[in-house]
Amino acid sequence: MSERDIDKMIDELVEREISRRQLFRFGAAGAMSMGAASFLAACGGGSSLGGGTHEQTKVVQKSALGTELNFSNWPLYIDVAHGKHPTLEKFQKKFGVHVNYTEEINDNTEFFGKIRQQLANGTSGGRDIIVMTDWMAGKMIKLGYIEKLNKQFLPNVQKNLIPALQHIDFDPNRDYSVPWQSGQTGLIVRTDKAPDVKSVNDIFNPKYKGKVTMLTEMRDTVGLTMLGMGKDPTTGSVSDMLAAIDKVDKYVKNGQIRRFTGNDYLKDLPHGDTWVCYGWSGDAVQLESDNKNIKFIHPEEGFMLWTDNMLIPVGAPHPYTAEVFMNWIYQPEVEAPIEDYVNYVPPVAGTKAALLKIDPSVAKNPLIFPTANVLAKGHAFKQLSPTDEDKVNNAFQKVIGA
């Protein structure tokens, strides 16, 4: 059984009630790999394996603070100065906890594949906090891979989480997730090489053949391409999504699209290997500060919106310490230096006022604090059923060569 088959089976188990006996009846168990079998074992070995009922019910318990905290995040996603992380050093100074910070997440699907076996075995691989985008966070919560938060230890989160993010479909009461950053996906352009880019469809202009990249994140690449085709990714059909993938495939085969990336375009754009790409707003602000010829473009058809979330994986060695960290981050004066560096949209109320005191120019940046008119053109990707997700993902993975 292939990894893709295992993913499909996991999604189906999450979606509906199915017993171990039923699984064997389907003839699938014998074909499952050791990894999938471990997944079943991690589900508890009882008769009920799925149906989105595997959320952890016991909350994180208070314990002594650990001496260390292991935090896995995406590249360039926290403040850096002189090769160190000032925010993490402040946390260590206040609480005596050393944070082992690892930038090991470059793609939701890729990272899930990396740690799935560990989570299925009830261990986090030593990680205390991981940061996942909405749809993947929801998937991991349903699989029972995420610890339930004890809100008693999160008063700052309760007080300062902005209203727009307090209730979301995959975790309605924020019982498992705490937003880290929100952002926008649009076009990032080398304006000295491609000066007139305004539309999503400009990425397909033959003038830029071989100088174009798209994202390995399916929802970003398919969503933006759909917008260029006049389809809304929030309400569009699976057929619309597959049509967008077919379009992308056409431009892969004719050499227009150079490759698919995570944050890798951070190197490609400054080097001139890429002139136009699908990319993330926070990265663009950082790139713009280093190169005046790089600019984030909100396509005239609209753009994608998303949130990355802090999660405590099952088996985390220091879950209480992880909650202490989450709570400490949710103070505007702590969050502001992070925003000053990462330049995404902060989830902590009061951050703009705090940032005005330390860096007014950044506080006034519309990519970090977008206006209501700009946000009105943002789109979230439609929540897919496991069956539809598998259909769209399979088609997309074939196109990107994963």
Side-chain angles (χ1 to χ4, degrees), residues 53-129:
T53 58
H54 288 290
E55 293 93 338
Q56 300 293 310
T57 55
K58 294 181 180 178
V59 298
V60 171
Q61 298 299 304
K62 187 172 185 178
S63 65
L65 277 175
T67 56
E68 63 178 10
L69 178 73
N70 302 306
F71 185 3
S72 295
N73 206 345
W74 300 66
L76 301 177
Y77 225 15
I78 198 167
D79 50 322
V80 179
H82 309 294
K84 298 182 178 179
H85 300 295
T87 294
L88 301 182
E89 295 208 328
K90 290 176 186 174
F91 180 74
Q92 179 171 352
K93 184 176 181 180
K94 181 172 181 61
F95 294 98
V97 178
H98 176 72
V99 181
N100 299 310
Y101 187 75
T102 307
E103 296 180 333
E104 62 171 333
I105 307 173
N106 197 45
D107 177 283
N108 281 290
T109 302
E110 177 186 83
F111 184 69
F112 180 66
K114 177 180 178 180
I115 66 171
R116 184 180 62 194
Q117 181 68 67
Q118 294 171 331
L119 295 172
N121 289 330
T123 173
S124 68
R127 301 171 184 86
D128 294 304
I129 297 176

Side-chain angles (χ1 to χ4, degrees), residues 226 231-232 235-242 382 384 392:
M226 287 176 68
K231 302 294 183 181
D232 187 341
T235 59
S237 67
V238 169
S239 294
D240 294 333
M241 296 169 193
L242 295 176
K382 184 178 184 178
L384 297 174
V392 176

Side-chain angles (χ1 to χ4, degrees), residues 35-49:
S38 297
F39 162 73
L40 292 176
C43 287
S47 60
S48 178
L49 297 173

Side-chain angles (χ1 to χ4, degrees), residues 46-298:
S47 60
S48 178
L49 297 173
T53 58
H54 288 290
E55 293 93 338
Q56 300 293 310
T57 55
K58 294 181 180 178
V59 298
V60 171
Q61 298 299 304
K62 187 172 185 178
S63 65
L65 277 175
T67 56
E68 63 178 10
L69 178 73
N70 302 306
F71 185 3
S72 295
N73 206 345
W74 300 66
L76 301 177
Y77 225 15
I78 198 167
D79 50 322
V80 179
H82 309 294
K84 298 182 178 179
H85 300 295
T87 294
L88 301 182
E89 295 208 328
K90 290 176 186 174
F91 180 74
Q92 179 171 352
K93 184 176 181 180
K94 181 172 181 61
F95 294 98
V97 178
H98 176 72
V99 181
N100 299 310
Y101 187 75
T102 307
E103 296 180 333
E104 62 171 333
I105 307 173
N106 197 45
D107 177 283
N108 281 290
T109 302
E110 177 186 83
F111 184 69
F112 180 66
K114 177 180 178 180
I115 66 171
R116 184 180 62 194
Q117 181 68 67
Q118 294 171 331
L119 295 172
N121 289 330
T123 173
S124 68
R127 301 171 184 86
D128 294 304
I129 297 176
I130 59 176
V131 177
M132 296 277 97
T133 307
D134 293 332
W135 65 275
M136 180 58 80
K139 179 175 180 175
M140 295 176 76
I141 290 168
K142 285 184 176 180
L143 285 166
Y145 288 170
I146 304 302
E147 297 280 1
K148 188 171 185 177
L149 300 171
N150 190 332
K151 295 181 182 179
Q152 175 185 349
F153 308 139
L154 299 170
N156 292 335
V157 177
Q158 301 292 93
K159 175 184 177 183
N160 293 327
L161 176 60
I162 60 174
L165 296 177
Q166 290 177 3
H167 303 286
I168 33 75
D169 55 357
F170 72 88
D171 188 12
N173 296 312
R174 289 290 182 187
D175 290 326
Y176 300 87
S177 60
V178 176
W180 173 253
Q181 301 289 322
S182 295
Q184 307 156 66
T185 308
L187 297 166
I188 306 181
V189 178
R190 277 288 300 256
T191 55
D192 54 332
K193 305 291 187 182
D196 300 319
V197 172
K198 297 178 181 177
S199 163
V200 170
N201 294 320
D202 288 331
I203 203 168
F204 301 109
N205 190 322
K207 290 192 299 185
Y208 312 133
K209 186 173 183 177
K211 296 293 185 180
V212 163
T213 64
M214 293 185 174
L215 294 166
T216 55
E217 289 287 338
M218 180 273 284
R219 285 161 177 76
D220 288 328
T221 289
V222 175
L224 281 176
T225 304
M226 287 176 68
L227 287 169
M229 299 169 71
K231 302 294 183 181
D232 187 341
T234 306
T235 59
S237 67
V238 169
S239 294
D240 294 333
M241 296 169 193
L242 295 176
I245 292 171
D246 285 343
K247 181 173 182 177
V248 172
D249 187 38
K250 173 185 172 183
Y251 287 93
V252 169
K253 289 176 177 173
N254 75 8
Q256 178 78 12
I257 299 171
R258 178 169 164 263
R259 66 172 180 143
F260 295 86
T261 73
N263 290 84
D264 309 7
Y265 57 77
L266 290 167
K267 297 178 181 176
D268 295 347
L269 282 159
H271 290 168
D273 297 327
T274 294
W275 294 354
V276 185
C277 70
Y278 289 171
W280 297 306
S281 55
D283 289 343
V285 177
Q286 295 176 53
L287 288 166
E288 288 175 7
S289 68
D290 295 332
N291 187 327
K292 62 181 178 60
N293 292 317
I294 297 178
K295 186 177 180 181
F296 183 87
I297 304 290
H298 286 105

